[in-house]
Amino acid sequence: MSEPLLSVRSVKSFYGHIMALRGVDLDVHQGEIVTLIGANGAGKSTLMMTIFGDPRAREGRIAFRGRDITHLPTHEIAQLRIAQSPEGRRIFPRMTVRENLQMGALASNEVHFQDDLERICAYFPLLKQRLDQRGGTLSGGEQQMLAIARALMSRPQLLLLDEPSLGLAPLVVKRIFDVIRALNMDGMTIFLVEQNAFHALRLAHRAYVMVNGTITMSGTGKELLARPEIKAAYLEGGRH
Amino acid sequence: MEYFVQQLINGITLGSIYGLIAIGYTMVFGIIGMVNFAHGDVFMLSAFIALILLLALTQMLGITPLALALFIVLILAMLLTSLWAWAIERLAYRPLRGSFRLAPLISAIGMSIFLSNLVQVTQGPRNKPVPEILNGVFTFGDPEGYTVTLSYKQILIVAVTAVLLAAFWYVVQRTSIGRAQRACEQDRKMAALLGVNVNRTISLTFVMGAALAAVAGLLFMIYYGVVHFNDGFVPGVKAFTAAVLGGIGSLPGAVLGGLLIGLIEVLWSGYFSNDYKDVATFSILVITLVFLPSGLLGRPEVEKV
């Protein structure tokens, strides 16, 4: 197999004295959708943030395109074209949609802002009509779309999505997952963290399961969907 | 009526100076949630820097066109004061970020004392006279009765303030630097995730606030014709009051608050008692904090998520 785009090797990270990641190993290859599922508090979002150095991994190694990024400052990691739509979306509420997108384009110096705006609004036509509206006035679904669109504005080589379906109506969730699939078809590598295991596993090429800060299972999306213990823990009653 | 117009002119002039200082308080508070108590002393320091530069340029180097000399003083004072503010942030505040909440505040108070003592030791404890410049006035009204005077200095102060605020507003609202500042103010962690160098943006905020304070320092020096090492304290606290009145964190609020505080102070001393003008302004601080803690243009803490 070729060298992975992102590789995480025995990473441990802490919140104060609490060890949130207890040695995580994980790879994302060019062109894949990789999904990480797990219960609340398993450490999924911590891993997303640890990749960006906040909190910083206290042990282990994180590499992006072969380059060690474990000790880089957060903003320099962002400039390497890894983008994240983080937990809770974190839209800038008192900036317009356009300004939010401009913030996303910062890592690419806004040189192709207009082109990218057109291209990305093709995935999210709704945002186009809301460009001059303040981010804080958008609905939850629109904010999620804006968070993904903002992440895309830097022309990332790897897109991290942290629970894009959280708190959204089923129809909106479907739209978001459709967009994720379309993005991947167009060549985007995606690392997706989800509680909505059914949708996420169907979408993913490969998947990991996280329990208590460690990876307990991995395989293709289909394999994991078929496993009885996954069904019992994450899927029963979860088909929405 | 003429008397009232006169007070109005005086109030707006004073308010412009307060507004310029208040922006430094409000921006720093907005971005790191800290009241920079040394800001008033940075303002005082800038008045001294401006005075020294003015004397050096006009009397030692003999630059004669006053406008040119003032312009050079303005630019150099802004640069030097910004450098001071940058160093203060780097040495006294940044190492304490992430420490307990009061730590940078205490450090700021220490820095305030340090600055005023530094100026006292190096420049002496007495009032420093400023050379008489721009003494012309326009007079209006009935020559027999009360006349309204509008001095060149007042015109200069209001004009410079208006131009700088416009430029400053443009930077904050329309450039990517300003956008990064607003992003850090709203969500520092997210700004970093998008590639904003948060530490540099915070430094820049201190520098911009200090540059505006330097303008205020220069204008203050010219207006009052005298500077003193303790001049940072009372104007500093009044500008802080202006920032609180306008809604701390809000830029238009700082300017509005500055103008209101200037007007209140001048009208109070014009119609009631000159001795109690500071009591009047600081009562505003107390009243605002008790009844309108988010200020006139500030936003309440709760934000729709």
Side-chain angles (χ1 to χ4, degrees), chain A residues 74-79 103 106-107, chain B residues 190-198:
Chain A
T74 301
H75 66 271
E76 285 181 29
I77 295 174
Q79 281 157 5
M103 285 308 299
L106 197 79
Chain B
M190 188 66 227
L193 286 184
L194 294 172
V196 175
N197 186 339
V198 174

Side-chain angles (χ1 to χ4, degrees), chain B residues 32-66:
Chain B
I32 53 175
M34 163 198 153
V35 179
N36 178 14
F37 274 118
H39 189 60
D41 294 277
V42 169
F43 155 76
M44 176 275 300
L45 185 75
S46 76
F48 271 88
I49 291 175
L51 174 59
I52 293 168
L53 286 169
L54 184 68
L55 291 175
L57 285 178
T58 52
Q59 298 185 359
M60 285 166 68
L61 296 176
I63 296 177
T64 37
L66 187 63

Side-chain angles (χ1 to χ4, degrees), chain A residues 32-61:
Chain A
E32 282 186 315
I33 299 181
V34 173
T35 279
L36 177 65
I37 60 173
N40 248 343
K44 307 186 297 295
S45 296
T46 307
L47 175 63
M48 294 296 240
M49 291 306 288
T50 304
I51 291 170
F52 272 84
D54 181 17
R56 197 156 294 286
R58 227 180 269 181
E59 278 176 50
R61 182 175 187 272

Side-chain angles (χ1 to χ4, degrees), chain B:
Chain B
M1 182 60 200
E2 282 86 359
Y3 186 67
F4 179 72
V5 172
Q6 182 68 64
Q7 302 308 324
L8 220 53
I9 292 172
N10 296 349
I12 288 172
T13 311
L14 187 60
S16 302
I17 293 178
Y18 290 155
L20 284 172
I21 312 174
I23 285 181
Y25 280 110
T26 220
M27 279 185 81
V28 165
F29 185 87
I31 205 161
I32 53 175
M34 163 198 153
V35 179
N36 178 14
F37 274 118
H39 189 60
D41 294 277
V42 169
F43 155 76
M44 176 275 300
L45 185 75
S46 76
F48 271 88
I49 291 175
L51 174 59
I52 293 168
L53 286 169
L54 184 68
L55 291 175
L57 285 178
T58 52
Q59 298 185 359
M60 285 166 68
L61 296 176
I63 296 177
T64 37
L66 187 63
L68 177 68
L70 279 180
F71 184 71
I72 300 175
V73 170
L74 178 73
I75 302 296
L76 285 180
M78 284 170 86
L79 283 175
L80 290 173
T81 310
S82 300
L83 198 65
W84 267 94
W86 178 82
I88 291 170
E89 192 270 335
R90 195 72 191 75
L91 295 173
Y93 306 152
R94 192 186 294 182
L96 296 171
R97 213 172 290 151
S99 176
F100 64 105
R101 247 183 103 76
L102 279 178
L105 198 73
I106 295 165
S107 184
I109 293 170
M111 198 37 91
S112 159
I113 296 169
F114 167 76
L115 287 175
S116 65
N117 278 276
L118 178 76
V119 173
Q120 183 185 9
V121 167
T122 55
Q123 300 298 316
R126 274 183 249 278
N127 277 333
K128 290 273 162 195
V130 177
E132 297 265 310
I133 45 170
L134 285 174
N135 281 324
V137 291
F138 295 109
T139 44
F140 307 94
D142 177 14
E144 305 292 302
Y146 188 88
T147 52
V148 179
T149 60
L150 175 63
S151 69
Y152 291 176
K153 287 176 186 173
Q154 289 174 322
I155 296 172
L156 176 80
I157 289 172
V158 173
V160 168
T161 304
V163 168
L164 271 162
L165 288 182
F168 178 78
W169 184 250
Y170 178 83
V171 169
V172 170
Q173 292 298 325
R174 292 277 178 272
T175 66
S176 60
I177 293 169
R179 215 157 35 235
Q181 281 180 311
R182 285 181 292 139
C184 286
E185 185 221 314
Q186 294 177 31
D187 188 342
R188 244 196 282 174
K189 215 168 187 171
M190 188 66 227
L193 286 184
L194 294 172
V196 175
N197 186 339
V198 174
N199 277 333
R200 212 174 58 192
T201 308
I202 291 174
S203 285
L204 187 75
T205 305
F206 275 86
V207 161
M208 283 165 72
L212 291 180
V215 178
L218 170 68
L219 298 175
F220 180 87
M221 171 199 86
I222 295 173
Y223 193 48
Y224 286 104
V226 60
V227 288
H228 185 249
F229 75 90
N230 218 6
D231 273 349
F233 184 69
V234 170
V237 181
K238 280 182 186 160
F240 173 65
T241 306
V244 171
L245 175 63
I248 197 148
S250 156
L251 291 180
V255 179
L256 177 69
L259 287 173
L260 285 175
I261 291 293
L263 284 170
I264 289 165
E265 181 178 334
V266 167
L267 290 175
W268 184 276
S269 40
Y271 286 99
F272 298 105
S273 144
N274 194 40
D275 296 334
Y276 287 105
K277 60 173 189 188
D278 293 352
V279 174
T281 14
F282 296 136
S283 307
I284 300 287
L285 178 61
V286 175
I287 291 167
T288 314
L289 285 174
V290 171
F291 294 106
L292 194 68
S294 56
L296 294 172
L297 302 181
R299 47 176 191 277
E301 280 299 303
V302 194
E303 210 23 84
K304 181 189 168 192
V305 185

